[in-house]
Amino acid sequence: MIDWKSVGVGSIINAVLTLVLTISFFPLFFLGPIVGGMLATYIGSGEKKDAPVEGALTGIIGGLIMGFLFIAGFGALSAIVGLIFTKVGLVAGAMTVIAGVFLTIVAMFVGGVLGAVGGFIGAEIRENGREEEIIENE
């Protein structure tokens, strides 16, 4: 069963980390979905077989969050351009929506795949940690 609280936490961490890494260190943006998926499955109470699904969900929801922020941020920029130049603002607004939808779809796909990888890694770390605790307690 999927632990939705951990998926929500992982999605927010995914979106924040991806945006920060995209702005500061662009080539490392792919670490956001991996860390989000890994964290969601590590702190979650779900089963190991659900780990890639939980990780993929964090990537998809994180991609939606980033797409919404992109459209909202550039929508405000388009509105300012529209106030200054009326006809240019209409074209900029339409281009923003098209680019925002395309970016959202790409972010959801890439985030889903990388989140599934992170989910698998997080489940393996959690399982290995439990095995070491069992061995130490014996």
Side-chain angles (χ1 to χ4, degrees):
M1 180 120 184
I2 295 174
D3 185 6
W4 287 102
K5 288 181 183 177
S6 64
V7 168
V9 170
S11 299
I12 293 171
I13 289 175
N14 170 7
V16 169
L17 190 60
T18 303
L19 289 173
V20 167
L21 289 174
T22 300
I23 292 170
S24 59
F25 303 108
F26 178 72
L28 298 178
F29 76 94
F30 67 90
L31 291 177
I34 292 175
V35 170
M38 185 173 63
L39 185 68
T41 57
Y42 183 74
I43 66 172
S45 60
E47 297 178 14
K48 185 176 179 180
K49 65 180 174 97
D50 294 332
V53 175
E54 288 180 359
L57 283 173
T58 62
I60 291 169
I61 295 170
L64 279 173
I65 293 170
M66 289 185 302
F68 176 74
L69 291 175
F70 177 80
I71 291 172
F74 282 102
L77 182 64
S78 295
I80 293 171
V81 170
L83 288 174
I84 297 171
F85 306 105
T86 305
K87 294 189 186 235
V88 174
L90 295 174
V91 173
M95 289 173 47
T96 299
V97 171
I98 292 169
V101 169
F102 178 74
L103 178 77
T104 302
I105 291 170
V106 169
M108 287 173 57
F109 179 74
V110 171
V113 171
L114 293 175
V117 170
F120 182 73
I121 293 170
E124 287 295 321
I125 291 172
R126 185 176 66 190
E127 283 295 314
N128 289 337
R130 287 184 184 164
E131 288 174 4
E132 289 177 7
E133 287 178 12
I134 292 171
I135 292 171
E136 289 176 4
N137 290 334
E138 291 180 357

